[in-house]
Amino acid sequence: MATGDRLRFGVDLVTFFHAGFWGVDSDDAIVAYARAEPRAFWDKILDSVQASGVTGVELTFSPFNWQDAIKTYGSVDAFAAELAKRGLTLCSGFFAELEAAGDFADPEAQRALIDKAKRYADFLKACGSDIMVIGAPLRQTLGAQPVQFHDFDRAKVIADFLNRLGATLYARGVRLALHTEAHSIFAAARDVDLMMLLTDPAYVHMCPDTAHIIVAGSDPVQLVDRHHERMIIAHWKDAIGPMPADTAIDKHIHDRHRPYFCGFGLGRVDWPAWIRLLRDRAYEGWAILELDAAPDPVRDIANGLTLVRQALLPIYR
């Protein structure tokens, strides 16, 4: 089997969430444009993905989500056709609902989440994808009151829900992959180890994000090596280093992350060690070359892909 068949490269659409790429002055203006000109918006995204050289698309939050895609093109089949005519594949879909779900112990909240995930899974399967990447709940700002400890008991409540969600998705032909989002309960090494211990490996898998693991203060190569058998997709991204321990965790946390991310190969990720790990552990699957809000995403993705092909794939072979 050729190397290119074993590692396939895609991009998460959050990469296109930059005002400069759209010629506007704010994130709100991007959303407004997407609502006013949905076909032009989506056509530009898909054309740009094609031009960058990757072949996979990971959907994410609105205006880049699955409901927006269906509304724009009229049906699931029509969206799938738009991908196919550009040589693109829907590799995965990001499910961000857990982050803002609140109390995981509330049965009604859990039922609502599972219902949303079922509909999403049916869409993914209809488009040829079998992976749902899921963001974990956020941690609490250090020192906030009243204190909420992420201890064994709280982790077990979340893990039990993830097990049931994973089993529900599996019945629909889709696999759950938990994403290592910095400042969530699944990013720093201890938290990942705890959640991997408590969840069933048959139903809960892993989507490591190299940059987010570094921002959380951990080593992505060491961490993923411990749980390599759980990895079914990965986000390849670079970061300049960990964020301060007292960083405020609120609705602006994702904006605070952005200055810590950097161009592929310009940060702390040890890419030769990363690709050797994937080679030695015989990983095959999607590699998502993700950039959070890139002003020139086509160039940046293409440059990242060139680095991968010239410097990393020879090691992987």
Side-chain angles (χ1 to χ4, degrees):
M1 182 183 290
T3 302
D5 295 329
R6 293 186 284 126
L7 278 182
R8 293 185 291 168
F9 295 92
V11 64
D12 186 290
L13 296 190
V14 69
T15 300
F16 299 93
F17 197 55
H18 192 288
F21 175 67
W22 297 101
V24 297
D25 59 4
S26 68
D27 290 351
D28 288 343
I30 298 173
V31 175
Y33 175 66
R35 299 288 180 260
E37 301 288 345
R39 184 62 186 250
F41 179 81
W42 275 88
D43 283 351
K44 181 175 181 178
I45 290 172
L46 299 184
D47 290 344
S48 297
V49 174
Q50 181 186 25
S52 75
V54 299
T55 59
V57 172
E58 180 174 277
L59 300 179
T60 185
F61 55 82
S62 186
F64 311 98
N65 70 12
W66 66 278
Q67 296 100 327
D68 296 321
I70 292 176
K71 186 176 180 181
T72 297
Y73 292 112
S75 69
V76 177
D77 290 343
F79 175 62
E82 291 292 330
L83 292 173
K85 78 180 187 182
R86 294 173 173 86
L88 303 177
T89 298
L90 184 65
C91 53
S92 48
F94 191 89
F95 184 75
E97 303 289 341
L98 270 67
E99 191 175 293
D103 184 6
F104 265 81
D106 178 51
E108 189 58 40
Q110 292 188 2
R111 280 193 293 271
L113 286 167
I114 288 175
D115 183 58
K116 290 178 181 178
K118 283 179 179 178
R119 296 196 300 272
Y120 197 1
D122 292 343
F123 165 85
L124 292 172
K125 193 66 177 174
C127 282
S129 174
D130 71 342
I131 298 175
M132 186 184 297
V133 179
I134 293 185
L138 290 174
R139 269 186 162 273
Q140 184 185 49
T141 301
L142 184 65
Q145 297 293 329
V147 176
Q148 183 181 56
F149 298 112
H150 185 58
D151 55 13
F152 184 90
D153 291 337
R154 181 167 185 263
K156 191 171 186 314
V157 171
I158 297 171
D160 288 345
F161 171 73
L162 290 171
N163 283 335
R164 289 189 289 110
L165 180 58
T168 299
L169 297 181
Y170 181 83
R172 285 173 143 74
V174 172
R175 296 175 290 168
L176 181 159
L178 200 57
H179 178 258
T180 57
E181 181 81 22
H183 297 101
S184 77
I185 54 89
F186 191 73
R190 174 267 190 187
D191 290 351
V192 172
D193 291 341
L194 179 60
M195 199 55 58
M196 290 288 91
L197 173 68
L198 293 175
T199 52
D200 189 329
Y203 297 107
V204 179
H205 309 280
M206 179 183 187
C207 173
D209 184 307
T210 50
H212 278 280
I213 293 170
I214 284 177
V215 167
S218 298
D219 182 322
V221 175
Q222 292 180 5
L223 180 55
V224 174
D225 195 19
R226 289 203 295 277
H227 305 289
H228 65 90
E229 72 284 357
R230 307 285 288 271
M231 178 171 58
I232 60 171
I233 190 171
H235 287 180
W236 294 23
K237 187 164 59 178
D238 223 332
I240 61 173
M243 291 180 70
D246 61 352
T247 296
I249 303 173
D250 55 24
K251 65 181 181 179
H252 301 294
I253 186 59
H254 303 297
D255 295 329
R256 294 192 182 100
H257 287 162
R258 289 183 184 177
Y260 287 82
F261 300 138
C262 61
F264 198 82
L266 301 177
R268 296 272 192 94
V269 177
D270 185 342
W271 291 111
W274 174 256
I275 201 71
R276 285 194 296 270
L277 169 64
L278 302 192
R279 177 198 65 195
D280 295 345
R281 298 305 189 183
Y283 173 77
E284 299 179 5
W286 284 103
I288 306 302
L289 301 181
E290 178 195 350
L291 301 160
D292 272 31
D296 192 352
V298 175
R299 183 199 63 188
D300 290 344
I301 297 165
N303 287 347
L305 196 57
T306 297
L307 187 150
V308 168
R309 287 171 172 160
Q310 293 181 353
L312 301 183
L313 289 187
I315 299 173
Y316 183 81
R317 296 187 184 102

